[in-house]
Amino acid sequence: MSFINYSSREINCKIVYYGPGLGGKTTNIQYIYDKTNPEAKGKMISLATETERTLFFDFLPLALGTIRGFKTRFHLYTVPGQVFYDASRKLILKGVDGVVFVADSQLERMDANMESVENLKENLMEQGYDLAKIPYVVQFNKRDLDNVATVEELQKALNPMQVPWFEAVAPGGSGVFETLKAVAKQVLMQLKNGGGN
């Protein structure tokens, strides 16, 4: 749920990057962090294991302009993709305003992608959210690899609601900001329409 601070005239929104382990969630946020003006971002906090797998979350506060005199500040989080961190994922989804699902396009990761989408739906439902009603964008990452599924196959398996989707190669930044802008736009539209969760 967006948090509005009237004294500092700030709107704070939470966007969660969800998806299977090693799919590129942290790489997305790291790229955004590296390319963002230092004055527009806070410190990136990363809780990772020695193998750089996200242990709990990555967090990046990001200022994205103003709405009717209120500064908008987006808080970007990733969740750990590994199945045994489900409790952490549920906690991080609490108060979410928008979700980016980062899919790994490799054919051998299709089962992991589908399992993660189902897990996202279930965990949102537990928090009282409906994936069909919150700002939601899908990213098909790792498009530069040889063994990838076609976009049609990925769409059919992972995006039956036909929400906005983007192809990406996160380490080089391809599709990264397009994905962020699309979900941020949906979150802001929902705010303007007086929605929210």
Side-chain angles (χ1 to χ4, degrees):
M1 182 185 290
S2 306
F3 172 71
I4 301 177
N5 184 333
Y6 286 94
S7 60
S8 63
R9 299 187 70 77
E10 267 188 8
I11 302 170
N12 291 278
C13 306
K14 182 176 186 179
I15 293 176
V16 175
Y17 282 67
Y18 212 93
L22 298 178
K25 301 178 295 296
T26 297
T27 310
N28 265 269
I29 291 198
Q30 185 68 53
Y31 186 84
I32 293 164
Y33 178 80
D34 290 343
K35 297 294 178 186
T36 301
N37 185 332
E39 292 165 8
K41 67 187 177 188
K43 189 177 176 185
M44 181 166 167
I45 298 168
S46 219
L47 298 179
T49 61
E50 288 176 1
T51 55
E52 295 187 358
R53 288 187 169 202
T54 305
L55 185 59
F56 191 67
F57 64 80
D58 305 301
F59 167 67
L60 173 61
L62 202 63
L64 289 183
T66 59
I67 298 180
R68 294 177 190 163
F70 282 79
K71 286 183 223 163
T72 54
R73 192 177 297 277
F74 282 77
H75 299 243
L76 310 185
Y77 287 83
T78 65
V79 296
Q82 295 74 42
V83 288
F84 43 88
Y85 290 127
D86 200 40
S88 302
R89 288 199 293 266
K90 288 178 187 175
L91 194 63
I92 293 162
L93 281 174
K94 207 167 187 171
V96 69
D97 293 298
V99 176
V100 172
F101 185 83
V102 180
D104 186 329
S105 295
Q106 297 177 92
L107 283 166
E108 65 267 29
R109 297 295 289 161
M110 285 299 277
D111 286 348
N113 287 327
M114 290 165 71
E115 190 183 326
S116 188
V117 167
E118 284 308 310
N119 178 260
L120 169 62
K121 285 183 198 165
E122 287 166 15
N123 284 344
L124 280 172
M125 207 176 292
E126 274 188 37
Q127 305 278 348
Y129 301 107
D130 180 350
L131 185 60
K133 292 180 180 169
I134 65 170
Y136 179 49
V137 171
V138 176
Q139 182 188 85
F140 302 132
N141 193 24
K142 304 192 180 185
R143 298 305 296 166
D144 58 328
L145 300 182
D146 293 330
N147 54 335
V148 296
T150 65
V151 168
E152 290 73 23
E153 289 168 331
L154 290 162
Q155 280 280 82
K156 189 175 176 187
L158 305 174
N159 190 14
M161 295 190 300
Q162 299 286 312
V163 297
W165 57 272
F166 299 88
E167 294 183 78
V169 182
S174 171
V176 170
F177 275 102
E178 291 84 346
T179 304
L180 174 62
K181 283 177 190 168
V183 74
K185 188 176 168 187
Q186 287 185 40
V187 169
L188 293 176
M189 286 293 287
Q190 196 167 70
L191 268 174
K192 281 183 180 174
N193 294 333
N197 301 303

